[in-house]
Amino acid sequence: MRWCRHLPRASWVSGLGRAPQPPDERIPFLSHWSWPFKGERPLGPPRVFIRHHRSSTDSAPTSGKKEKLFGSISAAEAIRRHRRNLAEWFSRLPREERQFGPTFALDTVHVDPVIRESTPDELLRPSAELSLEHQPPSAGLPPLALSQLFDPDACGRRVQTVVLYGKVGTGKSTLVRKMVLDWCYGRLPAFELLIPFSCEDLSSLGPAPASLCQLVAQRYTPLKEVLPLMAAAGSRMLFVLHGLERLNLDFRLAGTGLCSDPEEPEAPAAIIVNLLRKYMLPEASILVTTRPSAIGRIPSKYVGRYGEICGFSDTNLQKLYFQLRLNQPDCGHASWGAGVSATPAQRDNLVQMLSRNLEGHHQIAAACFLPSYCWLVCATLHFLHAPTPAGQTLTSIYTSFLRLNFSGETLDSTDASNLSLMAYAARTMGKLAYEGVSSRKTYFSEEDVRGCLEAGIKTEEEFQLLHVFRRDALRFFLAPCVEPGHPGTFVFTVPAMQEYLAALYIVLGLRKTTLQRVGKEVAELVGRVGEDVSLVLGIMAKLLPLRALPLLFNLLKVVPRVFGRVVSKSREAVAQAMVLEMFREEDYYNDDVLDQMGASILGVEGPRRHPDEPPEDEVFELFPIFMGGLLSAHNRTVLAQLGCPIKNLDAMENAQAIKKKLGKLGRQVLPPSELLDHLFFHYEFQNQRFSAEVLSSLRQLNLAGVRMTPLKCTVVAAVLGSGRHALDEVNLASCQLDPAGLRTLMPVFLRARKLGLQLNSLGPEACRDLRDLLLHDQCQITTLRLSNNPLTAAGVALLVEGLAGNTSLTHLSLLHTGLGDEGLELLAAQLDRNQQLQELNVAYNGAGDTAALALARAAREHPSLELLHLYFNELSSEGRQVLRDLGSATEGGARVVASLTEGAAVSEYWSVILSEVQRNLHSWDRARVRRHLELLLRDLEDNRGATLNPWRKAQLLRVEGEVRALLEQLGGPRS
């Protein structure tokens, strides 16, 4: 399979590989519609596509040789308006698709799934109940392209009715949408008229009689003028019946009588039956899509060809899908007002990493066999790496993913219960998922799966529902494990889906103990009986001496209250387990959940764990996060549409139990990655009042070492940006922050008293945002650490503007920021504009004697500055001596720290200097640091030889030992 090519519009001819012909030869009724052959813009955007196999239309006579069916001007205009209306309707994408960018359109990124032709014998052959493997194509039946569906069969017979079937998630709806758009854009020239019907729409009409002409005219008003020509259209008219499983069809003559008149009112199901019988409009072509369980509703004698939609069985199709989706330009600032659009290089890097993982990690390739999961992978990567729309959460992506696949889907339309397919999946697959989370396993045997599916089944109707679920949806949730060491086991299609379904199982209240199941019924029964009996005995007690009995029966009223406490205890136990899972620390999974999820999709660069090593304990950190996300109002609304309503009272009680446990365990000091997981839980919950109450005790935000992507910055800002209490310290050292991240986190910075931004590669551009932060009227920062960032003198020029107007900052660290002489001279000239600064660190900035002395003199004259750090600059011995003399010349003024010694004694700041060196030993220039340490060591040795004080000698020897230890770490001499 070749990768996509960008072709000129003039060469797009339904994928048949032949040059375009004039409209009067190809499509007679388009003789008055000039595109695309007269240079005008077509209805749809340019399209990237895969060439299909050769079609029978290549050798068929051109439609110009046929009688012009819609040759009149009015008919051609009606068809043109019909095409335009269909294109507009089918081009409308759900909100979940619009997240991929303003230029995203189905017609530009569609990749056709593999369609395998099958025979009635294959459909009748019984299959293993839990067989999740994809069946290989039969010999002699190559895959079909869309343009080949109505080719003559192997015996040369004309095919008029095609049934395409596929399990949930294989892309039936997308395929129909793409086929309709192809016809609208002139890429299906074999059909002059296409009429799509949604069987869900038809089933909503019930038994109310309506003729075929009425059904068409009600839905497609422009076709009223061509309805009389339908009978003469023959095979050039195509009916598309999507979702046949929604209709209850009865092909018995006793159930559905014969009717050949399109204007005769009948029940919609009866009209479909007669169309499929070829008794009504016998020459019309019909395309049917359905789930596997409903194939048998159409007798095989009425079907010319069966095609199974097999998804992306070829890894190259998966790669092409990801390339087209992920390379769409996103909206950036224009749509969401936050974040920065990913560059083409970044998008290409994502695609390359994902492609490598598909080649090396076969389990994700097995998951992406279903096009729906390719969509989920793309949506997750877009969430992790692109600007995040307001209110979008990881839980909402998974909920929307299920809505796209299960919205309006019933398990079996012939069953009177009309049970939602998603509700059935939540009960069965949710049980399996939760048992896996509870027992900390992700691999399931056939017995495990069978036990969850068949639990509690007693009636024939329940077995029928289970059979339908197995055929239609089991493969959507479970996939055979292809990893070595786990033969014959099953896993959830993507790991996060197990945690999502387990959380859904809990919040829906489907997990019940035996005491809860029996106790609820007994409590309600006893409560009702107790009230009635107490009333009767209360009356009788006035006449008879039975005053003790009413008291006894009054005790029965307490039973419902006791049961309520049992349920409450159960909720608290679930909340306790959830919180413990959230704050669980694992050596192997020490990254935050967002990095874990990205690594599971894109793969981990570098060596992997050896297969013979003992397996690590499974961690389910997304499970509690999904629980919080499912309790949000938006997700509860979507779940209600799927037939999985979460009662407001249950949501409130669950939230209270979680808040109670979080209030106790949330006060402990968490590692940075765990703290981010905690904040991500609140982000998913989308409840500011809940988060404000739980996080009211948070005083230190330590995320040092966490890679702060745009998404993580959004998470932190959304959760903590609206709080009222001040944060004593915000530590974001070594977080790979950029100016866009600083702007996103600005509401959090305004709450901080101490702000650490060391080791973030922030340049002069970031100083513009820091200046705005310092000048903000709500700024309360007292300590700002910017060490080890390439700010340069250009950045300091912006910072001094902020210092001039700031009234809160007292400690500023510009250690190793590349200021040079120019930067120090600029600080010396502007230092007096700030009257609150108490400590300034400009060590290790490559400044010479002149600039250092100028800043030192300005510091001595500053009214509030107490300490100035100048060590590790390019100072000569004379310069260091002048600085020492300046520090001892007059009383008062700032102390200048330029060396480990002060006169003949050890400086009281020697430990501060060496601790800075130790902390940055691996990030600084080793040769440069070694040279400075050797100079300091020489000063110590000279002072030790010049002093006679034994106490000072001992102190100097101690510091010399520390310096030699650092030199040894750098590979320098011991002495």
Side-chain angles (χ1 to χ4, degrees):
M1 183 63 68
R2 288 179 294 179
W3 290 72
C4 64
R5 295 190 303 169
H6 294 271
L7 304 178
R9 183 67 176 183
S11 64
W12 298 344
V13 187
S14 71
L16 302 180
R18 57 184 291 183
Q21 300 181 10
D24 57 339
E25 295 183 16
R26 298 290 295 179
I27 309 175
F29 60 87
L30 289 182
S31 57
H32 299 283
W33 196 6
S34 58
W35 77 267
F37 308 102
K38 294 185 180 180
E40 295 183 12
R41 175 179 172 84
L43 286 176
R47 180 171 178 264
V48 179
F49 70 103
I50 306 174
R51 287 185 180 271
H52 298 290
H53 300 278
R54 179 177 173 84
S55 169
S56 63
T57 54
D58 291 334
S59 57
T62 61
S63 54
K65 298 179 182 179
K66 298 179 182 178
E67 180 184 356
K68 293 184 178 180
L69 178 60
F70 303 109
S72 66
I73 296 179
S74 60
E77 176 64 20
I79 297 298
R80 187 189 66 81
R81 287 190 284 117
H82 177 57
R83 285 178 184 263
R84 188 176 299 279
N85 291 345
L86 277 184
E88 181 181 356
W89 174 257
F90 280 88
S91 297
R92 293 179 179 177
L93 297 175
R95 181 177 58 87
E96 292 83 359
E97 295 282 28
R98 292 197 296 271
Q99 68 176 312
F100 291 104
T103 62
F104 176 83
L106 175 67
D107 192 51
T108 63
V109 298
H110 180 78
V111 178
D112 288 339
V114 174
I115 302 176
R116 181 181 65 89
E117 185 172 359
S118 56
T119 64
D121 293 337
E122 293 181 25
L123 299 177
L124 295 175
R125 185 185 307 138
S127 58
E129 291 181 342
L130 286 178
S131 177
L132 301 178
E133 299 282 358
H134 173 60
Q135 299 299 326
S138 302
L141 294 177
L144 291 169
L146 279 180
S147 56
Q148 296 175 304
L149 293 179
F150 290 92
D151 284 2
D153 62 12
C155 299
R157 292 188 296 263
R158 185 160 61 97
V159 173
Q160 291 180 281
T161 302
V162 176
V163 174
L164 296 180
Y165 65 94
K167 298 176 174 62
V168 175
T170 51
K172 299 184 294 296
S173 300
T174 305
L175 197 65
V176 167
R177 184 189 295 267
K178 182 256 180 184
M179 190 173 187
V180 173
L181 289 175
D182 273 357
W183 180 80
C184 293
Y185 302 147
R187 293 193 289 264
L188 288 179
F191 302 107
E192 299 188 23
L193 179 60
L194 184 145
I195 302 176
F197 279 118
S198 167
C199 293
E200 181 183 9
D201 174 36
L202 297 179
S203 66
S204 65
L205 301 177
S211 69
L212 176 61
C213 291
Q214 288 174 337
L215 292 177
V216 173
Q218 288 173 358
R219 286 152 184 78
Y220 309 109
T221 305
L223 295 183
K224 288 182 179 180
E225 299 183 21
V226 300
L227 287 178
L229 301 176
M230 282 200 309
S235 61
R236 287 173 287 176
M237 179 172 61
L238 174 63
F239 286 99
V240 178
L241 307 176
H242 176 53
L244 192 74
E245 69 275 359
R246 308 292 184 92
L247 287 176
N248 297 326
L249 303 182
D250 189 354
F251 279 81
R252 299 173 304 152
L253 289 177
T256 304
L258 298 175
C259 178
S260 61
D261 186 1
E263 297 184 0
E264 181 70 22
E266 293 281 351
I271 294 175
I272 299 302
V273 167
N274 281 293
L275 280 174
L276 293 170
R277 284 172 173 166
K278 292 303 175 184
Y279 200 78
M280 182 184 293
L281 301 178
E283 296 298 319
S285 301
I286 302 175
L287 176 67
V288 178
T289 66
T290 184
R291 300 202 307 246
S293 63
I295 297 176
R297 297 184 188 181
I298 306 176
S300 59
K301 64 181 180 179
Y302 298 128
V303 180
R305 174 173 285 128
Y306 289 98
E308 180 184 6
I309 304 176
C310 300
F312 295 153
S313 55
D314 186 354
T315 307
N316 287 330
L317 291 179
Q318 300 173 7
K319 293 179 180 179
L320 178 58
Y321 182 97
F322 292 133
Q323 184 185 39
L324 296 178
R325 284 267 176 168
L326 295 176
N327 278 327
Q328 289 290 312
D330 49 53
C331 296
H333 296 276
S335 178
W336 303 321
V340 176
S341 301
T343 64
Q346 291 172 330
R347 292 194 293 264
D348 289 340
N349 184 49
L350 282 180
V351 174
Q352 291 174 8
M353 292 180 66
L354 184 54
S355 297
R356 286 196 298 268
N357 200 29
L358 285 171
E359 296 169 357
H361 188 191
H362 301 292
Q363 196 62 57
I364 189 174
C368 293
F369 164 79
L370 292 175
S372 292
Y373 278 94
C374 290
W375 182 94
L376 181 61
V377 168
C378 287
T380 305
L381 286 178
H382 201 269
F383 174 72
L384 293 175
H385 296 279
T388 305
Q392 187 185 57
T393 64
L394 184 64
T395 312
S396 70
I397 288 178
Y398 275 73
T399 307
S400 298
F401 167 67
L402 295 176
R403 186 184 70 83
L404 289 174
N405 288 277
F406 292 96
S407 179
E409 294 279 354
T410 57
L411 185 57
D412 187 2
S413 61
T414 62
D415 186 72
S417 64
N418 202 31
L419 181 63
S420 161
L421 179 55
M422 188 62 228
Y424 191 90
R427 191 178 71 203
T428 53
M429 292 293 96
K431 178 179 175 63
L432 180 67
Y434 180 73
E435 289 182 357
V437 171
S438 301
S439 56
R440 315 199 69 76
K441 68 177 183 179
T442 57
Y443 304 97
F444 302 93
S445 65
E446 184 173 335
E447 290 73 18
D448 296 333
V449 179
R450 193 185 303 276
C452 289
L453 289 175
E454 299 179 357
I457 293 182
K458 300 177 181 179
T459 65
E460 180 65 26
E461 290 77 11
E462 292 173 340
F463 272 107
Q464 175 61 25
L465 293 178
L466 175 58
H467 174 70
V468 172
F469 181 77
R470 278 173 170 161
R471 291 202 66 183
D472 292 349
L474 185 59
R475 176 62 179 86
F476 182 86
F477 295 102
L478 292 181
C481 181
V482 296
E483 295 179 356
H486 301 279
T489 59
F490 304 97
V491 295
F492 278 86
T493 313
V494 293
M497 183 57 73
Q498 177 181 352
E499 300 179 68
Y500 179 92
L501 290 174
L504 181 62
Y505 184 71
I506 295 298
V507 298
L508 288 176
L510 298 175
R511 177 185 176 272
K512 292 183 174 65
T513 63
T514 304
L515 176 61
Q516 288 177 312
R517 287 194 298 269
V518 178
K520 182 177 181 180
E521 299 177 1
V522 172
E524 292 177 354
L525 177 63
V526 170
R528 289 195 301 268
V529 172
E531 291 177 1
D532 297 338
V533 174
S534 297
L535 179 62
V536 173
L537 291 181
I539 297 174
M540 295 178 62
K542 296 181 179 179
L543 305 174
L544 301 174
L546 300 174
R547 297 184 181 277
L549 289 179
L551 178 62
L552 177 63
F553 282 96
N554 280 334
L555 295 176
L556 298 178
K557 298 180 181 180
V558 182
V559 174
R561 193 176 305 168
V562 173
F563 174 75
R565 291 186 177 180
V566 171
V567 174
S568 177
K569 290 293 182 182
S570 176
R571 295 187 192 279
E572 291 184 4
V574 172
Q576 175 77 9
M578 187 207 77
V579 173
L580 290 176
E581 187 66 51
M582 184 186 303
F583 296 133
R584 180 185 174 93
E585 293 184 53
E586 296 293 335
D587 294 334
Y588 189 71
Y589 294 94
N590 55 357
D591 291 334
D592 58 84
V593 291
L594 294 176
D595 281 351
Q596 291 179 36
M597 176 161 284
S600 69
I601 296 175
L602 298 175
V604 179
E605 299 294 334
R608 296 183 177 179
R609 184 173 57 86
H610 194 276
D612 296 334
E613 294 182 13
E616 301 288 344
D617 190 17
E618 297 289 351
V619 175
F620 299 95
E621 290 182 298
L622 276 175
F623 166 64
I625 292 173
F626 278 139
M627 275 192 66
L630 288 171
L631 293 176
S632 69
H634 169 73
N635 286 305
R636 285 192 286 126
T637 301
V638 177
L639 287 172
Q641 298 171 3
L642 294 173
C644 301
I646 301 175
K647 298 179 181 179
N648 291 330
L649 182 60
D650 292 341
M652 183 183 69
E653 291 177 351
N654 276 306
Q656 289 176 346
I658 293 172
K659 182 168 66 174
K660 182 178 179 181
K661 297 302 178 182
L662 281 178
K664 294 180 179 179
L665 296 179
R667 296 187 182 94
Q668 60 184 341
V669 178
L670 300 174
S673 60
E674 295 294 321
L675 178 57
L676 184 66
D677 292 346
H678 187 193
L679 298 178
F680 187 55
F681 166 82
H682 289 278
Y683 177 78
E684 292 288 312
F685 199 9
Q686 295 283 297
N687 188 323
Q688 291 187 354
R689 180 178 178 182
F690 175 92
S691 300
E693 293 178 2
V694 173
L695 297 174
S696 60
S697 59
L698 181 66
R699 290 293 182 270
Q700 291 187 341
L701 179 64
N702 181 15
L703 297 176
V706 175
R707 185 172 59 93
M708 293 300 291
T709 62
L711 172 61
K712 296 176 187 177
C713 293
T714 301
V715 168
V716 175
V719 175
L720 296 177
S722 59
R724 296 181 179 179
H725 69 277
L727 296 172
D728 294 338
E729 183 176 5
V730 174
N731 186 0
L732 295 175
S734 189
C735 290
Q736 302 181 32
L737 275 172
D738 56 12
L742 294 181
R743 288 190 290 271
T744 304
L745 291 170
M746 192 68 71
V748 181
F749 295 162
L750 292 175
R751 295 178 53 195
R753 291 198 174 96
K754 294 182 180 179
L755 178 59
L757 297 174
Q758 313 95 295
L759 290 164
N760 277 296
S761 300
L762 298 174
E765 182 184 355
C767 293
R768 193 179 308 277
D769 301 294
L770 294 173
R771 177 199 62 187
D772 297 339
L773 171 65
L774 293 174
L775 293 176
H776 199 283
D777 56 357
Q778 296 180 10
C779 178
Q780 50 186 325
I781 296 175
T782 59
T783 300
L784 178 60
R785 294 186 290 269
L786 297 173
S787 56
N788 297 298
N789 287 294
L791 303 180
T792 71
V796 170
L798 296 169
L799 280 179
V800 294
E801 296 180 18
L803 288 175
N806 181 270
T807 58
S808 62
L809 191 66
T810 58
H811 295 72
L812 175 62
S813 175
L814 298 174
L815 169 75
H816 191 215
T817 52
L819 303 185
D821 288 340
E822 182 182 356
L824 264 65
E825 289 171 356
L826 184 61
L827 281 172
Q830 303 290 332
L831 192 60
D832 59 345
R833 298 178 62 186
N834 180 283
Q835 301 297 314
Q836 286 78 32
L837 201 61
Q838 298 176 10
E839 181 177 350
L840 177 61
N841 190 339
V842 290
Y844 198 12
N845 271 293
D849 293 346
T850 304
L853 288 172
L855 182 59
R857 292 190 179 96
R860 295 287 298 179
E861 298 173 0
H862 195 275
S864 62
L865 195 63
E866 299 175 355
L867 189 61
L868 175 64
H869 300 261
L870 283 172
Y871 47 86
F872 274 32
N873 280 292
E874 302 302 318
L875 304 176
S876 62
S877 301
E878 295 79 7
R880 287 196 298 273
Q881 184 60 45
V882 172
L883 289 174
R884 281 195 290 265
D885 296 342
L886 182 64
S888 58
T890 57
E891 294 296 330
R895 298 192 62 177
V896 179
V897 180
S899 176
L900 292 175
T901 59
E902 291 181 1
V906 174
S907 171
E908 62 178 293
Y909 298 102
W910 71 268
S911 60
V912 175
I913 299 174
L914 295 185
S915 63
E916 285 286 357
V917 176
Q918 181 68 51
R919 189 181 302 115
N920 299 283
L921 201 60
H922 301 289
S923 60
W924 287 356
D925 182 356
R926 300 174 71 87
R928 186 176 174 185
V929 172
R930 185 185 299 111
R931 178 167 55 85
H932 282 290
L933 287 176
E934 289 172 352
L935 290 175
L936 294 178
L937 182 61
R938 192 175 302 117
D939 283 346
L940 291 170
E941 292 173 345
D942 292 343
N943 288 348
R944 180 165 53 86
T947 184
L948 300 177
N949 189 323
W951 175 247
R952 288 183 177 177
K953 283 182 178 288
Q955 287 183 316
L956 291 168
L957 278 172
R958 178 189 173 190
V959 178
E960 285 180 32
E962 297 287 344
V963 174
R964 289 195 176 94
L966 289 175
L967 285 171
E968 183 179 355
Q969 294 183 42
L970 289 170
R974 290 175 177 268
S975 61

